[in-house]
Amino acid sequence: MKEFDVLTIGNAIVDVIAKVDDGFVVREKLVKGSMNLIDEPRAEQLYGVMGPAAETSGGSAGNTAAGVASFGGKAAYFGKVKEDQLGAIYAHDMKSIGVHFATPKAKDGPATARSFILVTPDGERTMNTYLGACVNLSPADVDAEVVRAAKVTYMEGYLWDKDQAKDAFRAAAKIAHEAGRMTSITLSDSFCVERHRDSFLDLIKGSIDIVFANESEIKSLYKTQNFDGAADAISKHCPLAVLTRSEKGCIVVKGKERVTVPAHPVDKVVDVTGAGDLFASGFLFGHTRGLPLRQCAALGSLAAAEVISHTGARPETNLLKLAQSNGLI
């Protein structure tokens, strides 16, 4: 089997994206900027009132794999869909952009997952996710050969909501480390951190080489409002942490070393969906090529800037060409 730069593991979700006003968020009793897990009846109700929408394959780790592929990297993906219409669309989308995706489709059970992403005029997104088939990702879906072939195995924190998905990542992490490969996690969102703080810390201390988190997530992990204190804490628990701070840029934490990189300029923020996912894709693409940390972070910032400049969580511009035109590669 060929070598992969990055294997991502996550919830395979079709994004249903609609623009709404702040009043809609209030009327539907939603927490702006949050990710809410919903059941099928609520999914149908929201779909009925949200207005025109665009459907596209998504899911946090899926977006990261798409970003790596757009940079010209070799990406693989583990995620569960059902053998239904949306599942077929998802698999086609991943393969069409060059991502290796061979997780067996479920023949019965819940439908392929979908996330209703409500984008307000300020570009903030509020996600309402029906997890459906994706929660049934299990250790049986972990292809050990693919894990051993990947320089980095990366997972999304949202997987931690279901025990068998959690077990799947633990199995993959064990295989990766036994093969001398690296592991990585994104903490996904602060609400996810609050649900799983203790087990996240245990995982990070024992099984993770690279942590990705935004400012609210890392502060939530260590139950502090002090960002610098949280950065110092993660430096003791993980070899490498990449902490994003929106328009303030990011800080890469490696032991006592701190590398600060500004955010890449954006003319207008249209939709922040996928910003963290694409940042991770740029950083990991650079890191698997042995580039300096500052350059890795700059590639991440560039990818994040591209994706927030339009609606949707996957790049519309070839990221390799964009990086070359910006002198980053």
Side-chain angles (χ1 to χ4, degrees):
M1 176 172 284
K2 67 178 182 180
E3 186 174 67
F4 298 105
D5 296 306
V6 184
L7 161 65
T8 72
I9 307 176
N11 290 326
I13 300 171
V14 175
D15 290 337
V16 183
I17 305 171
K19 294 181 179 180
V20 300
D21 57 25
D22 288 309
F24 183 93
V25 175
V26 174
R27 287 194 300 276
E28 291 300 318
K29 299 180 172 60
L30 301 170
V31 178
K32 187 176 178 180
S34 68
M35 194 287 281
N36 311 290
L37 297 178
I38 59 175
D39 57 18
E40 195 165 1
R42 175 60 164 157
E44 292 175 356
Q45 183 269 328
L46 265 180
Y47 189 66
V49 298
M50 67 192 285
E55 295 181 357
T56 179
S57 295
S60 174
N63 296 336
T64 299
V68 172
S70 185
F71 272 111
K74 297 179 176 65
Y77 177 68
F78 293 164
K80 200 73 172 178
V81 298
K82 190 181 182 181
E83 204 169 68
D84 57 17
Q85 184 180 8
L86 285 182
I89 290 171
Y90 195 94
H92 174 268
D93 284 353
M94 294 301 279
K95 292 173 183 175
S96 70
I97 58 176
V99 174
H100 176 85
F101 177 46
T103 307
K105 296 183 181 70
K107 296 187 181 301
D108 50 30
T112 296
R114 68 278 328 252
S115 180
F116 301 98
I117 301 175
L118 309 173
V119 184
T120 40
D122 59 358
E124 187 59 84
R125 87 277 194 236
T126 303
M127 297 185 289
N128 302 270
T129 304
Y130 167 59
L131 291 173
C134 74
V135 303
N136 293 325
L137 183 76
S138 73
D141 295 311
V142 173
D143 185 333
E145 190 176 358
V146 174
V147 178
R148 284 191 287 265
K151 296 176 184 176
V152 180
T153 292
Y154 166 96
M155 70 159 282
E156 62 184 65
Y158 291 133
L159 280 179
W160 234 238
D161 284 319
K162 295 293 178 180
D163 286 341
Q164 64 177 358
K166 192 185 301 186
D167 291 342
F169 180 72
R170 286 195 179 113
K174 185 173 185 292
I175 294 166
H177 278 159
E178 287 175 349
R181 302 298 200 170
M182 291 184 293
T183 58
S184 180
I185 187 174
T186 173
L187 297 187
S188 294
D189 75 22
S190 56
F191 297 95
C192 186
V193 174
E194 288 173 12
R195 292 194 296 273
H196 306 296
R197 182 178 291 110
D198 290 342
S199 60
F200 271 169
L201 280 169
D202 287 342
L203 178 76
I204 289 167
K205 292 174 186 177
S207 303
I208 299 297
D209 300 303
I210 308 170
V211 169
F212 290 89
N214 64 27
E215 185 167 359
S216 64
E217 291 157 7
I218 199 66
K219 290 195 295 190
S220 177
L221 184 66
Y222 291 103
K223 294 192 287 187
T224 179
Q225 289 303 308
N226 186 297
F227 175 78
D228 292 334
D232 289 342
I234 192 69
S235 72
K236 297 176 176 65
H237 293 156
C238 189
L240 188 62
V242 188
L243 310 178
T244 57
R245 309 184 77 185
S246 299
E247 70 278 1
K248 298 176 185 175
C250 73
I251 295 178
V252 183
V253 178
K254 183 180 182 182
K256 294 183 178 180
E257 182 182 1
R258 303 288 184 271
V259 178
T260 302
V261 176
H264 192 84
V266 181
D267 289 336
K268 181 184 178 183
V269 176
V270 176
D271 175 12
V272 298
T273 309
D277 307 333
L278 268 295
F279 184 97
S281 74
F283 188 93
L284 290 172
F285 172 78
H287 194 61
T288 55
R289 276 157 176 71
L291 299 181
L293 295 177
R294 184 174 300 279
Q295 190 174 351
C296 295
L299 288 168
S301 294
L302 177 71
E306 191 283 336
V307 83
I308 66 175
S309 66
H310 58 76
T311 300
R314 294 193 176 177
E316 292 183 351
T317 302
N318 180 281
L319 293 178
L320 177 59
K321 291 181 180 177
L322 190 62
Q324 290 170 336
S325 67
N326 279 270
L328 294 178
I329 294 178

